Amino acid sequence: MHTMNVLLLPLATLPIVARRAADIVLVKVHIQGQPVRTLQRPAAEAVSRSLGRVGRALAPQSSKNAERCMLFDAGGLELHPAMNALHAWSTAAHLQVGGMSLDVVWEPAEVASLVLPAVVPFVGVPLTPVIKTLGCAAEECRWVWEGLPTDTASGSRDGEWQPLGFGRTYTPSDADLGSRLRVRAAPPATSRALAALPLLACVAEAAAAVEAPPARPLLVRRLGALRRAAAAGRGGSGAGILRVLSYNILADCYSRHWGAAGGLHSYCSPRLTRPAHRMPRLLAEVLAFSPDVALLQEVEGEPPHIPPPISRRRRGVQSRLSSTRQVDRKWFETFWAPSMRQLGFSCVYTSKAGATSSEGLAAFVRTGALEMVEMREVSLAIGPSGAPAAAAPLLDSHAGTREGVRRLPTVAQLLLLREAAPGGSGGDGSSGSGERRHALVANTHLYFSNPAMHVRLLQTAALLEEMDSWAEHLPAATPRIVAGDLNADASDAAIKLLTTGRVEAGDPDWLHGALNWAPSLELEEAAGVAARQAAATLGAGWDAVGDAEIEAAWARLADGSDDGVGVAAGADGAACPDATFEGARRVAREHHLLRVAATTLARSPDERTDEQAAGGRGAVTRLAASILDDAARGRSLYTSRPLAAAEVARQLQLPLAAVSTPANDVQATSWYTRAHTRLGELMQRLLKAKVELRSRAASEGSAAALAAGEAAEVRLWAARAAGVCLSHPKPLQSVYSLDSPPTHVVPRYATSIDWICVDAERLEVVGVAPRPPLQELTRDVAMPSAEWPSDHISLVADLAWR
């Protein structure tokens, strides 16, 4: 697409701006005292047609006749009216309109748009607009920041706009408190375009008056501790230090849950959680730590165009969304990237995959310290070609887990960084070889579902394998860093693999995930089977029979529905009858289906209009009708109260009458009490089955290994205990101790799930920003709060090449 500008400069009036895009010529006509008019004409048509339109636009309002218009070139020769519009406007120097002569300026530089981010301007926090230019670079524009004092009591503006500063970025000071801010950007102009400058420039005004940010004494304390550690490290010189920050900044796209009972807004003011308030505070925190590498998670945005030498690569067979996907919130593009680029950082963004994803990962690298040689995007949705080799037997044996991990939106960024200038391991930062050292850095946010411990372990193994593959082509001394929100604490197998280099096939996380994660249990399919089974039992013709006949049919289902799950575990010390993987899966499915069904049934009554009640049919008959109707529509006990009632009745071996009539006090009903009891029994059986299943698999696996070799043992573990042995030759070290205070605190839940892990053979941990104790994080109930702009804390470490 070729874009052109035309300016018509009338004598003693404001200039006229015109633009041509693709095959259309746009001419903006502006006469003083009249509104701007935009004329659109095909670029290939005769210029006489567009001149006629211009003539009518410039005609006096009292006149019905168009002014006669003629175009002249720089030599004063009239351009022929039959010439096509594109050629004529591009060679014209003057436009004669009646007795008025207008200069024509072709494609002058222009500021097409200028937008300030929709944030509260805070004292001490840089403010950077987003600019789009035509015919020039943003760096060539001239910038003027202005302030307008505002009466704090009435909100009315007081006085005139006063100049405050120059440059693309402006940092408000205490003197600006209460003032409105605006910025003007003007493009470079030739002598011919100078008169048109007012129409070529843009002005943007801040969304609110300047405020003082909330005090953050704990942040000040953390910064002080890190400064003292940095000063003490490396003989006090601080030379050769690499500062890495990792931070989950809490995506605003999840705010739909914050107003729920007991949710975030039950303890934190909505004013503090607005992104307009949180984003500048988050930026201020990142900048206060002055990192060389900043790795953020839950950043909202779209995948930007990344020019060479940055490359993009996907793991496995998953396809990415096209870049045309619409995202309502684009904080990376409108806030983070402009701010960080202006402050000397290179920036890359990776969106999570999936049609509903609007957040992802962002990495910022200080160009004065490091060069971003390459960035690779890695999908941690593990497909057939992307699974760790050691995990193949497990995925072959468990279709639910295999299909579940294949659909996940999890991604990672791998960054190959190189020193901007040669560094060194000596105290003075000198380098004997003069070579610039590299580092391989991973930024990720692993899958969140609490039961999916085995999924996070597989994703960690896949990420480490991807780093190993890349490292084969890098210098041997290249250290590795893995950082991000791993949704795993120190006891989880994913962290064990990172920090010890090995997870055994009998690790409890394998079975816990396989018997608790819905996709591994194939719960959606099981719920559908339960719905179809209930409908088949009732059969057709429910309206021709009464409640008694329906109950008799239902009793036959209850008598034959146990499938072994209702048999009690051996009480005399005999082997648990559930201690096969399929037996344990049946118990786990029953537990989950009953829990979901009881929750659905305990909600408000079915909202459908029950016309059958008017016909005098009994409650059981009406329930049967609803079960058949919902099953025919493909619903399940997750969303259908009648199907949930059928599942509760089946598992508890109750007549339909016991679950057909909603009670005012659900907890007082007999089915609720029995359901609670059965859930406890099923859970105890499941826990016992896990222990015996691991024990049996270990015993049988040893025998199989002696008889048929290690491969047979691996297959047996994968099939019977849902686990395989995973190992990594180069374990990493957490920069924080494994028993450090939590990194993530919400009501009734506090845990350490954010990590920075490094290659301790190649990198020395000089210091870290200390993690505040739990009582400090919960001073305002939980996070976020006035002190904490996210529900996670930032992790910061100073590292030195060994």
Side-chain angles (χ1 to χ4, degrees):
M1 178 184 293
H2 185 56
T3 301
M4 287 161 282
N5 301 330
V6 181
L7 294 187
L8 305 182
L9 309 184
L11 300 178
T13 188
L14 291 177
I16 300 171
V17 177
R19 172 168 306 289
R20 188 257 183 176
D23 296 327
I24 301 294
V25 175
L26 305 177
V27 181
K28 294 183 179 179
V29 180
H30 185 275
I31 298 297
Q32 199 166 22
Q34 299 182 20
V36 176
R37 302 182 188 182
T38 301
L39 313 177
Q40 303 184 32
R41 302 305 304 173
E45 77 172 6
V47 72
S48 59
R49 301 288 299 273
S50 57
L51 289 176
R53 291 287 304 275
V54 171
R56 287 192 291 273
L58 293 176
Q61 294 183 350
S62 59
S63 173
K64 296 183 179 180
N65 299 322
E67 291 284 350
R68 185 169 181 269
C69 295
M70 295 178 291
L71 283 175
F72 295 87
D73 64 16
L77 296 177
E78 181 183 357
L79 301 179
H80 197 281
M83 185 181 294
N84 71 62
L86 173 58
H87 188 195
W89 286 109
S90 63
T91 56
H94 304 281
L95 173 69
Q96 188 74 32
V97 184
M100 182 169 55
S101 178
L102 310 174
D103 285 342
V104 176
V105 181
W106 182 251
E107 289 196 336
E110 181 178 353
V111 177
S113 67
L114 186 68
V115 180
L116 280 169
V119 298
V120 176
F122 280 127
V123 170
V125 183
L127 201 58
T128 304
V130 177
I131 185 173
K132 293 182 180 180
T133 58
L134 297 169
C136 67
E139 293 75 16
E140 299 177 84
C141 294
R142 289 167 292 168
W143 301 84
V144 178
W145 287 84
E146 298 175 311
L148 179 64
T150 303
D151 185 276
T152 56
S154 64
S156 61
R157 299 183 178 187
D158 181 23
E160 301 292 332
W161 289 97
Q162 301 295 324
L164 299 174
F166 306 92
R168 182 172 176 180
T169 295
Y170 179 73
T171 303
S173 66
D174 289 332
D176 299 319
L177 278 172
S179 295
R180 304 288 299 202
L181 299 179
R182 74 179 183 187
V183 60
R184 182 187 304 273
T190 64
S191 57
R192 286 183 60 81
L194 197 58
L197 208 54
L199 291 180
L200 301 175
C202 277
V203 177
E205 187 171 338
V210 176
E211 296 182 17
R216 300 193 60 186
L218 294 178
L219 174 60
V220 173
R221 230 183 292 170
R222 298 183 75 207
L223 287 165
L226 187 61
R227 278 194 296 269
R228 289 190 293 273
R234 291 279 159 154
S237 69
I241 297 294
L242 172 67
R243 179 167 291 180
V244 177
L245 175 147
S246 179
Y247 202 176
N248 180 326
I249 64 171
L250 180 59
D252 184 62
C253 60
Y254 302 126
S255 60
R256 60 187 181 276
H257 305 297
W258 296 352
L264 191 153
H265 285 156
S266 66
Y267 62 86
C268 184
S269 166
R271 177 178 175 274
L272 291 174
T273 63
R274 289 184 301 133
H277 200 279
R278 289 197 308 112
M279 292 300 159
R281 294 165 60 211
L282 290 163
L283 175 63
E285 180 174 349
V286 170
L287 296 180
F289 280 114
S290 189
D292 299 307
V293 181
L295 307 171
L296 305 187
Q297 304 88 44
E298 290 197 20
V299 182
E300 292 162 298
E302 285 186 318
H305 170 70
I306 303 175
I310 305 297
S311 69
R312 292 179 156 241
R313 187 158 68 93
R314 296 270 309 163
R315 181 186 183 92
V317 298
Q318 305 304 304
S319 61
R320 284 190 60 84
L321 292 172
S322 76
S323 60
T324 59
R325 178 170 56 86
Q326 294 299 310
V327 177
D328 293 332
R329 306 170 179 90
K330 299 179 182 178
W331 287 106
F332 177 80
E333 291 84 2
T334 63
F335 181 72
W336 286 100
S339 299
M340 297 298 279
R341 285 195 183 105
Q342 194 64 21
L343 294 169
F345 289 81
S346 56
C347 315
V348 288
Y349 177 79
T350 301
S351 174
K352 283 185 178 179
T356 60
S357 297
S358 62
E359 52 97 351
L361 309 169
F364 307 98
V365 177
R366 187 186 300 279
T367 56
L370 297 163
E371 173 193 356
M372 189 185 302
V373 179
E374 186 178 355
M375 188 276 279
R376 296 181 180 180
E377 294 180 332
V378 178
S379 170
L380 296 181
I382 302 172
S385 64
L394 183 145
L395 298 177
D396 289 342
S397 301
H398 302 288
T401 299
R402 181 177 65 248
E403 291 304 305
V405 297
R406 187 178 63 83
R407 297 192 296 266
L408 296 179
T410 313
V411 293
Q413 293 176 320
L414 294 187
L415 309 173
L416 179 59
L417 307 179
R418 180 169 56 202
E419 289 179 295
S425 58
D428 60 356
S430 62
S431 173
S433 64
E435 294 181 355
R436 294 190 290 165
R437 294 164 298 193
H438 293 74
L440 186 57
V441 180
N443 177 27
T444 191
H445 185 184
L446 296 185
Y447 182 58
F448 70 93
S449 179
N450 189 52
M453 297 175 175
H454 61 325
V455 172
R456 289 185 284 277
L457 175 55
L458 289 170
Q459 290 181 331
T460 301
L463 178 60
L464 291 173
E465 191 173 276
E466 188 74 13
M467 297 182 78
D468 289 344
S469 176
W470 196 353
E472 291 176 0
H473 307 284
L474 300 176
T478 301
R480 307 175 197 190
I481 301 171
V482 175
D485 179 353
L486 305 187
N487 275 308
D489 63 28
S491 66
D492 287 357
I495 305 304
K496 294 176 188 175
L497 181 62
L498 268 176
T499 58
T500 70
R502 187 175 180 87
V503 168
E504 300 296 339
D507 191 279
D509 281 9
W510 287 120
L511 264 182
H512 179 86
L515 297 179
N516 287 277
W517 191 43
S520 290
L521 289 173
E522 300 173 276
L523 283 183
E524 287 189 10
E525 179 182 345
V529 169
R532 293 190 293 273
Q533 185 181 32
T537 300
L538 295 172
W542 58 267
D543 53 348
V545 298
D547 286 6
E549 290 85 349
I550 292 175
E551 290 286 21
W554 187 257
R556 289 192 292 273
L557 171 64
D559 290 341
S561 67
D562 180 73
D563 199 22
V565 176
V567 178
D572 57 355
C576 174
D578 304 322
T580 66
F581 184 70
E582 282 306 318
R585 271 168 59 94
R586 285 195 297 271
V587 175
R589 280 176 177 166
E590 292 287 277
H591 178 272
H592 284 280
L593 291 177
L594 180 58
R595 179 177 56 81
V596 172
T599 301
T600 304
L601 186 59
R603 294 175 187 152
S604 58
D606 196 12
E607 295 180 355
R608 77 188 72 206
T609 302
D610 199 346
E611 298 177 354
Q612 299 160 1
R617 294 181 174 88
V620 172
T621 305
R622 296 197 302 273
L623 177 59
S626 298
I627 291 171
L628 289 168
D629 180 50
D630 283 358
R633 291 193 289 164
R635 298 180 68 187
S636 75
L637 54 88
Y638 281 86
T639 57
S640 164
R641 192 176 185 278
L643 290 174
E647 179 64 17
V648 170
R650 179 189 71 81
Q651 287 212 38
L652 302 183
Q653 297 185 336
L654 293 174
L656 289 178
V659 293
S660 61
T661 305
N664 292 330
D665 184 3
V666 172
Q667 296 187 15
T669 60
S670 60
W671 73 259
Y672 186 89
T673 303
R674 290 182 62 174
H676 189 270
T677 300
R678 177 167 170 80
L679 286 171
E681 293 171 351
L682 289 172
M683 179 55 68
Q684 290 302 313
R685 288 176 57 185
L686 188 57
L687 293 174
K688 184 176 181 179
K690 289 179 182 179
V691 173
E692 295 206 19
L693 187 55
R694 288 197 299 272
S695 176
R696 287 178 58 185
S699 175
E700 295 174 17
S702 299
L706 290 174
E710 185 180 352
E713 183 181 12
V714 169
R715 288 194 297 272
L716 187 144
W717 269 105
R720 298 239 179 134
V724 291
C725 179
L726 296 176
S727 62
H728 186 257
K730 294 185 177 180
L732 305 178
Q733 172 189 324
S734 171
V735 299
Y736 291 88
S737 66
L738 297 182
D739 58 353
S740 293
T743 65
H744 170 58
V745 178
V746 292
R748 299 175 298 280
Y749 183 73
T751 187
S752 298
I753 56 177
D754 301 274
W755 298 85
I756 299 177
C757 296
V758 303
D759 181 353
E761 292 184 0
R762 304 294 180 185
L763 292 172
E764 173 191 355
V765 180
V766 176
V768 296
R771 285 149 58 162
L774 179 60
Q775 58 267 30
E776 297 284 8
L777 300 176
T778 56
R779 179 175 295 175
D780 297 311
V781 179
M783 305 164 69
S785 63
E787 172 74 40
W788 308 105
S790 174
D791 57 352
H792 294 248
I793 68 166
S794 57
L795 304 185
V796 189
D798 281 344
L799 311 172
W801 272 276
R802 291 187 186 274

